[in-house]
Amino acid sequence: MDEKTASNYQQGFEVSGDFASEDPSKFLDDDGRPKRTGTLVSASAHIITAVIGSGVLALAWATAQLGWVAGPTVLFLFSFVTYYCSCLLASCYRTGDPVTGKRNYTYSEAVRANLGGFKFKICGFIQYFNLTGTTIGYTIAASISMMAIKRSSCFHEKGHDSSCGINGTPFMVLFGAVEILLSQIPNFHEISWLSMVAAVMSFTYSAIGLGLGIAKFADNGKIKGSLGGISVGEVTQTQKIWRSFQAFGAIAFAYSYSTVLIEIQDTIKSPPAEQKTMKRAALISVITTTIFYMLCGCFGYAAFGDHAPGNLLTGFGFYDPFWLVDIANVAIIVHLVGAYQVFAQPIFAFVEKTAREYFPESEFITKDIHIPIPGSKPYKLNLFRLIWRSMFVCMTTIVAMLMPFFEDVVGILGACGFWPLTVYFPIEMYITQKKIPKWSSKWIALQTLSVVCLTISVCAAAGSIVGVINDLKVYKPFKTMH
């Protein structure tokens, strides 16, 4: 199988005989792949789906650790760094000329084209580790929302004094089963509809969380919290430091989407140049998400003060208005179903592409079985895809069962992924591509930004790891939670 045919198979397409009688350029892009159809709207939806995820639920807790001064400031700085570095990364989609240069289909391919093989391997490991971790975090978050709905129903049936213990394991299994089904969608290009639905859901639960926070703030009649965050006394001085570091990780996770930026950009049609559309999509998305984040984090802190919960929606209890909280939790579940696929598809594509390169003659890996679907085009069932993707979902579900600590897990993921993937590699690729002279003012500014973000990421990782260690001291896997 030649390279072009392999690429077409990777994307889930085949060049049909219908092209023979018409100009192929009507159907194919400059790289021989089927015409990309993504727009500013679809790219923004993909980004919002990836960014406004479960991380928004931990922002009130993160703000509580930092206080009224540092909390909003750190949120804004993370949003600025994320947007700026996203623009640098978008410029690296094509190597050389931004209009006609060679396309890089994935984040790791962009690193290989600009920085070489060694950094490509390092980047690939970090990227796919982070993507895998994110799917685990989303499995945990979805199960928490399912448990919240179940407990809410239990309290209303048996009374508010009932224990209503819930085991999260069955809910994780249910979420995993749904993801096994959806994981059979062949590629990133065919999940735009899922991202649209997920983006709407993310706005829904963020708006409900915000509304409930405003309502509770109004009911309190005062603004809770302090300028410096949770006070020593509520926690020890050491806990205060570790929690502040952990808050950095939680905020970094809330802005994490660089791992899928190039993959999203590869869905965009041109003209105009893909990087131009992507930069506009990044600006729209980051502004939108930052407004939501500021409102949710600040109103959540104003409502709960130092006792802001790790998951904002659980802070409103399971009582009235229970139906509204239930709607928000349903929206979270639907959103995470889609967001899981947004983060998993690059992993799927990488493994399947690699398998085809190593075993090009294997029918188990390359052969598609056409299954007729009435009223639609046949579904292409690939046995390797079916088995490997199902195994991946099962693995992430099992790990989620063993370590269901939401705010600690998102803190670790945010810390591990933010500096290398959001800051370091985009800056290094941009410097190489634009041939920025070493020790020039721009080079120094970019490297300073990178070092500062590295320091923050190291602190965030340390704080989150301490949190997980403390949780593991008292946690027993597969037990009922109260």
Side-chain angles (χ1 to χ4, degrees):
M1 183 182 293
D2 61 29
E3 184 178 353
K4 184 178 289 185
T5 305
S7 296
N8 286 333
Y9 269 104
Q10 176 198 347
Q11 296 300 323
F13 294 107
E14 288 179 313
V15 180
S16 71
D18 295 337
F19 292 167
S21 60
E22 297 191 49
D23 181 3
S25 63
K26 292 182 179 180
F27 303 97
L28 303 176
D29 270 329
D30 56 343
D31 59 347
R33 295 191 176 190
K35 280 282 189 182
R36 292 159 176 83
T37 57
T39 63
L40 177 64
V41 173
S42 67
S44 299
H46 280 314
I47 295 173
I48 291 171
T49 299
V51 180
I52 303 186
S54 55
V56 69
L57 303 175
L59 291 180
W61 178 89
T63 306
Q65 310 315 308
L66 300 172
W68 281 116
V69 176
T73 301
V74 170
L75 271 169
F76 173 77
L77 291 176
F78 268 95
S79 69
F80 173 77
V81 171
T82 299
Y83 168 67
Y84 179 72
C85 291
S86 294
C87 290
L88 300 185
L89 184 54
S91 299
C92 300
Y93 171 64
R94 287 182 183 266
T95 302
D97 190 276
V99 177
T100 61
K102 179 184 176 297
R103 297 174 186 263
N104 297 303
Y105 303 117
T106 65
Y107 188 109
S108 54
E109 283 186 22
V111 173
R112 178 164 55 185
N114 289 282
L115 302 178
F118 178 70
K119 290 186 177 180
F120 159 72
K121 292 177 181 178
I122 295 175
C123 170
F125 173 79
I126 296 173
Q127 181 188 12
Y128 294 119
F129 171 81
N130 191 261
L131 289 170
T132 302
T134 301
T135 61
I136 294 169
Y138 283 178
T139 303
I140 296 170
S143 71
I144 290 173
S145 291
M146 293 180 194
M147 291 166 63
I149 295 171
K150 181 69 175 177
R151 292 192 73 188
S152 174
S153 175
C154 175
F155 283 129
H156 282 81
E157 289 178 7
K158 300 180 180 180
H160 293 174
D161 295 327
S162 300
S163 61
C164 290
I166 303 292
N167 187 338
T169 300
F171 297 106
M172 292 189 187
V173 172
L174 176 61
F175 182 81
V178 173
E179 293 302 339
I180 286 176
L181 181 64
L182 290 175
S183 68
Q184 298 311 308
I185 297 173
N187 55 63
F188 208 92
H189 297 258
E190 297 185 31
I191 63 169
S192 293
W193 63 273
L194 193 58
S195 283
M196 297 288 187
V197 172
V200 171
M201 292 298 104
S202 67
F203 278 117
T204 300
Y205 70 72
S206 296
I208 291 175
L210 172 61
L212 290 171
I214 293 172
K216 187 169 180 63
F217 161 67
D219 186 55
N220 293 338
K222 64 177 182 178
I223 298 175
K224 291 190 175 184
S226 62
L227 295 179
I230 191 168
S231 58
V232 176
E234 288 281 342
V235 295
T236 66
Q237 182 66 49
T238 301
Q239 287 175 323
K240 167 75 173 175
I241 294 171
W242 289 127
R243 283 186 170 209
S244 297
F245 290 164
Q246 193 177 342
F248 290 149
I251 294 172
F253 178 79
Y255 278 107
S256 175
Y257 81 97
S258 294
T259 48
V260 292
L261 185 145
I262 295 291
E263 283 82 350
I264 292 173
Q265 191 166 345
D266 190 45
T267 68
I268 297 174
K269 64 182 179 182
S270 62
E274 299 87 359
Q275 65 166 288
K276 184 176 181 180
T277 302
M278 194 65 191
K279 289 176 181 179
R280 290 178 59 198
L283 179 61
I284 292 170
S285 303
V286 171
I287 288 176
T288 303
T289 54
T290 300
I291 292 172
F292 266 101
Y293 284 0
M294 286 286 189
L295 292 173
C296 289
C298 292
F299 273 106
Y301 183 39
F304 294 102
D306 289 349
H307 301 289
N311 181 328
L312 178 61
L313 289 174
T314 62
F316 300 105
F318 303 96
Y319 314 135
D320 297 323
F322 74 95
W323 57 271
L324 188 59
V325 178
D326 283 354
I327 290 174
N329 280 307
V330 169
I332 290 173
I333 295 164
V334 175
H335 171 262
L336 293 175
V337 165
Y340 185 105
Q341 289 301 314
V342 170
F343 282 89
Q345 284 291 340
I347 303 174
F348 297 157
F350 169 74
V351 170
E352 288 154 25
K353 178 185 177 184
T354 303
R356 287 192 179 96
E357 289 175 351
Y358 278 94
F359 307 101
E361 305 300 326
S362 172
E363 290 192 357
F364 172 70
I365 293 174
T366 61
K367 184 179 179 180
D368 289 333
I369 302 171
H370 292 251
I371 300 177
I373 300 177
S376 180
K377 63 182 181 180
Y379 175 74
K380 299 174 183 177
L381 175 66
N382 181 282
L383 292 178
F384 175 69
R385 182 174 68 218
L386 174 65
I387 294 172
W388 126 252
R389 294 190 182 190
S390 299
M391 290 174 61
F392 174 85
V393 175
C394 290
M395 181 273 294
T396 59
T397 304
I398 291 171
V399 174
M401 292 176 189
L402 295 173
M403 198 175 65
F405 318 124
F406 178 67
E407 61 267 26
D408 296 325
V409 170
V410 300
I412 291 175
L413 293 173
C416 292
F418 179 74
W419 176 72
L421 299 175
T422 301
V423 180
Y424 174 75
F425 284 117
I427 285 178
E428 292 300 310
M429 286 191 287
Y430 183 78
I431 288 173
T432 300
Q433 189 168 79
K434 300 300 181 183
K435 297 180 174 58
I436 297 174
K438 196 171 185 179
W439 303 113
S440 66
S441 57
K442 189 168 186 177
W443 185 90
I444 292 173
L446 289 171
Q447 296 296 349
T448 301
L449 173 62
S450 182
V451 170
V452 170
C453 291
L454 171 60
T455 304
I456 292 172
S457 290
V458 170
C459 293
S464 299
I465 290 170
V466 168
V468 168
I469 292 172
N470 291 333
D471 286 336
L472 287 172
K473 290 177 181 178
V474 297
Y475 174 71
K476 294 181 180 180
F478 309 112
K479 296 294 183 181
T480 298
M481 302 178 200
H482 297 276

